Amino acid sequence: MLTLTAAHQDRIKRLLGHAYRPSRVRYWTSGSRMVVILDEIGKTQPITTGFVLREGKIEQVKLLIYRETIGAETRGTSFTNQFKGVTLGSNGKLSRRINNIAGATLSVRALTELGRVAIYLEQIRPR
Amino acid sequence: MRTTKIRRASGPLILGLGILASAAQVTAKGEEAIDEAYNNGSTNYGGNNWFEGTTLGGYGELHLNLNSDKDNAVDFHRWVLFLNHRFNDRITFNSELELEHSLSGDGKPGEVELEQAYIDMAFDGGMHLKVGLFLVPVGTLNERHEPDTFYGVERNPVEKNIIPSTWWEAGLALSRSTEGGLSWDLAVHSGLKTDTFNIRSGRQKVAKAVAEDAAATARVTYSGISGVNVSAFANYQSDITQGGGADASALLLGATADVQMGAFRLRGLVASWDIDGAAAAAAGKDDQWGYYIEPSYGFDFGNGKMGVFARYHEWDTGGGAIDSVSVGVNYWPVDNVVFKGDYTDEEGNDSFNLGVGYSF
């Protein structure tokens, strides 16, 4: 369990674009890898997404539960593979621009924001 | 702070994640704790405030048409409300109510229409079942037509007249999306009704609709290559007159493409109706078709996004082929608000159009 301070939540709010309510985040580790499962609303439904991270980089993104009725192209590996090797810049943006999918803009944005938060959580977790 | 170490099994950590995914999606014996944690929002979600059971959304657009062949017009073309409710993790209700042209009623130019109202059930593996009133899965605009998602003030005339967008029916629709990028839709639903073989006015809109003859729609979509989305669709109805005249079967075949290459994008559609029977042939409406091709260029700049486009359309609803060209620009100060301008020339009648649109 990662406990978030007010400073952490403030930073996450800026990465996510809105307030982040949980004060604790569950995560798992194996060696130097970390796994975290996060939720963010696409258009109207939350997208439950798993991130595998290592040393400040995203290794893999997997959409675990996709509830929207449209925009499911974001589930595809051709989309999620874009996150491989991505890091978080000091400006709060991902090191690589994630290509938008026409018709799934809100889902793409939600996943991009979650990617930022996932990397940040990996950075602040206790070693 | 505690950490839980996952034992390295016969595979990478990803396998563990996959197992977690199955556990989160399906309540399995011994995994109730994880399932409850994620489905009831008791842990990562931070409590009941995290997402609402009922959500509202909407879109709308105001148009100004400066026409050379008829009066200029200003019109709040559409004001739409989405009302959705989530019953549990798998079952939602989704609906769309639309007011067209501001005023509805006898002698008024507008209409209030229910364009979507269905229960959606999510199954494992990206499968969904819709039961109710839904948008027919065809075309480029039929399901997704918020003003900030397309170029040009008015929706393109090919989809308007040939698809015929916006087209909704009532029935059952099954769909599946896969991680490899291939997805399909299969729907059985109410059908069009026309004995003049005018496709667009054959839409019954599920309003005390005659249901003598059902229809079926199938579509396959491929989005497995980043930036590429292509689809092929078909719709069949065994009697488009719904028993009103001699049987006339109707088959719609079409394909769409949407390819994004950096800042360039190419979008297109081709569709054609083949209506059987002597009556349709006599009316010259047995073969109706249309296509459009739209290259565009979009770019970000400090204060939003901008895009320029050109679109060529050609279509024939039985009265001979019509062609038109539109060129214009969209400006998005934020993703879901758009200002549009275009110049359209349809068979020598030209218009300059301005619009503002939004969605949320």
Side-chain angles (χ1 to χ4, degrees), chain A residues 6-67:
Chain A
H8 293 149
Q9 284 182 301
D10 191 56
R11 179 81 180 122
I12 291 173
K13 179 178 175 180
R14 273 180 279 130
L15 294 171
L16 204 50
H18 61 78
Y20 187 71
R21 290 177 226 281
S23 56
R24 299 192 307 162
V25 178
R26 183 177 289 180
Y27 69 101
W28 298 261
T29 62
S30 174
S32 60
R33 284 200 176 96
M34 169 186 169
V35 167
V36 66
I37 299 178
L38 300 171
D39 272 272
E40 176 68 345
I41 295 191
K43 188 170 167 80
T44 59
Q45 309 291 340
I47 307 172
T48 301
T49 313
F51 292 87
V52 181
L53 303 125
R54 188 181 189 182
E55 289 158 14
K57 284 187 192 165
I58 294 179
E59 281 201 342
Q60 194 183 16
V61 174
K62 194 169 174 79
L63 271 72
L64 301 175
I65 311 178
Y66 189 81
R67 299 172 180 83

Side-chain angles (χ1 to χ4, degrees), chain A residues 15-16 40-45 47 49 51 58 61 63 66 68 70-76 78-80 82-83 94 96-116, chain B residues 144 226-227 260 305 335-336:
Chain A
L15 294 171
L16 204 50
E40 176 68 345
I41 295 191
K43 188 170 167 80
T44 59
Q45 309 291 340
I47 307 172
T49 313
F51 292 87
I58 294 179
V61 174
L63 271 72
Y66 189 81
E68 296 279 1
I70 43 169
E73 298 92 337
T74 44
R75 286 184 63 221
S78 68
F79 173 74
T80 55
Q82 293 181 89
F83 286 88
L94 294 178
R96 185 185 307 150
R97 191 202 147 101
I98 303 296
N99 287 330
N100 188 31
I101 297 178
T105 311
L106 294 175
S107 299
V108 170
R109 195 194 309 158
L111 294 165
T112 306
E113 288 164 1
L114 282 186
R116 294 188 208 140
Chain B
R144 229 31 230 291
S226 184
Q260 184 100 39
K305 294 180 190 181
D335 275 347
N336 299 119

Side-chain angles (χ1 to χ4, degrees), chain B:
Chain B
M1 280 165 285
R2 288 179 292 120
T3 62
T4 309
K5 298 210 160 124
I6 291 182
R7 193 169 59 86
R8 281 229 175 149
S10 56
L13 196 61
I14 318 309
L15 180 63
L17 201 60
I19 292 171
L20 263 169
S22 315
Q25 285 197 319
V26 178
T27 304
K29 235 163 77 156
E31 302 289 355
E32 284 90 350
I34 294 176
D35 189 49
E36 201 179 72
Y38 288 100
N39 287 344
N40 292 348
S42 63
T43 312
N44 271 9
Y45 302 173
N48 297 329
N49 294 342
W50 182 254
F51 46 89
E52 307 289 329
T54 302
T55 53
L56 283 179
Y59 70 86
E61 46 195 311
L62 172 72
H63 299 167
L64 173 66
N65 309 108
L66 305 172
N67 304 306
S68 66
D69 59 322
K70 55 189 177 204
D71 283 347
N72 295 339
V74 64
D75 179 38
F76 205 98
H77 200 142
R78 295 176 184 89
W79 185 94
V80 174
L81 194 64
F82 292 119
L83 181 66
N84 309 301
H85 180 77
R86 188 155 44 77
F87 297 97
N88 64 26
D89 211 39
R90 292 179 182 271
I91 303 180
T92 58
F93 166 69
N94 298 281
S95 68
E96 176 181 350
L97 189 69
E98 173 162 323
L99 168 63
E100 285 192 350
H101 311 302
S102 307
L103 282 178
S104 160
D106 271 350
K108 300 289 189 288
E111 291 179 307
V112 174
E113 299 175 319
L114 186 64
E115 288 201 4
Q116 296 184 78
Y118 62 88
I119 297 291
D120 185 288
M121 297 169 67
F123 299 97
D124 290 351
M127 184 102 86
H128 283 261
L129 173 68
K130 291 181 186 174
V131 184
L133 190 166
F134 51 80
L135 297 164
V136 181
V138 293
T140 63
L141 290 190
N142 207 51
E143 289 173 301
R144 229 31 230 291
H145 41 250
E146 288 90 328
D148 47 292
T149 63
F150 64 91
Y151 283 105
V153 173
E154 304 294 342
R155 296 177 188 175
N156 77 77
V158 176
E159 297 210 60
K160 177 180 165 183
N161 292 299
I162 301 293
I163 287 300
S165 274
T166 307
W167 183 19
W168 60 93
E169 297 286 358
L172 298 161
L174 203 55
S175 65
R176 178 144 196 254
S177 65
T178 66
E179 288 184 7
L182 200 63
S183 61
W184 55 260
D185 299 83
L186 189 60
V188 172
H189 53 77
S190 51
L192 301 167
K193 179 180 188 304
T194 172
D195 43 24
T196 57
F197 311 105
N198 181 326
I199 298 291
R200 186 168 173 79
S201 58
R203 296 174 303 165
Q204 300 193 79
K205 301 188 177 183
V206 197
K208 293 193 173 177
V210 173
E212 288 297 311
D213 225 68
T217 301
R219 178 177 65 184
V220 174
T221 306
Y222 180 67
S223 56
I225 300 170
S226 184
V228 174
N229 186 303
V230 293
S231 80
F233 55 88
N235 167 277
Y236 177 76
Q237 190 170 332
S238 60
D239 180 12
I240 203 175
T241 70
Q242 298 273 1
D247 277 9
S249 69
L251 176 67
L252 168 69
L253 291 175
T256 66
D258 192 341
V259 181
Q260 184 100 39
M261 298 158 292
F264 288 97
R265 186 175 174 190
L266 189 66
R267 215 171 172 185
L269 164 131
V270 59
S272 91
W273 282 97
D274 180 10
I275 305 175
D276 254 354
K285 292 201 179 254
D286 51 321
D287 181 22
Q288 303 184 41
W289 54 269
Y291 69 90
Y292 80 81
I293 184 144
E294 179 193 274
S296 64
Y297 179 83
F299 53 94
D300 288 354
F301 61 102
N303 291 313
K305 294 180 190 181
M306 205 138 168
V308 292
F309 80 100
R311 192 168 60 227
Y312 177 74
H313 332 75
E314 197 178 351
W315 72 99
D316 184 355
T317 53
I322 302 173
D323 69 5
S324 80
V325 174
S326 292
V327 296
V329 60
N330 277 15
Y331 167 57
W332 295 265
V334 292
D335 275 347
N336 299 119
V337 172
V338 66
F339 296 97
K340 300 178 172 183
D342 77 65
Y343 169 78
T344 297
D345 184 329
E346 184 177 307
E347 300 275 302
N349 295 320
D350 57 359
S351 61
F352 180 61
N353 306 292
L354 293 175
V356 57
Y358 63 88
S359 72
F360 60 92

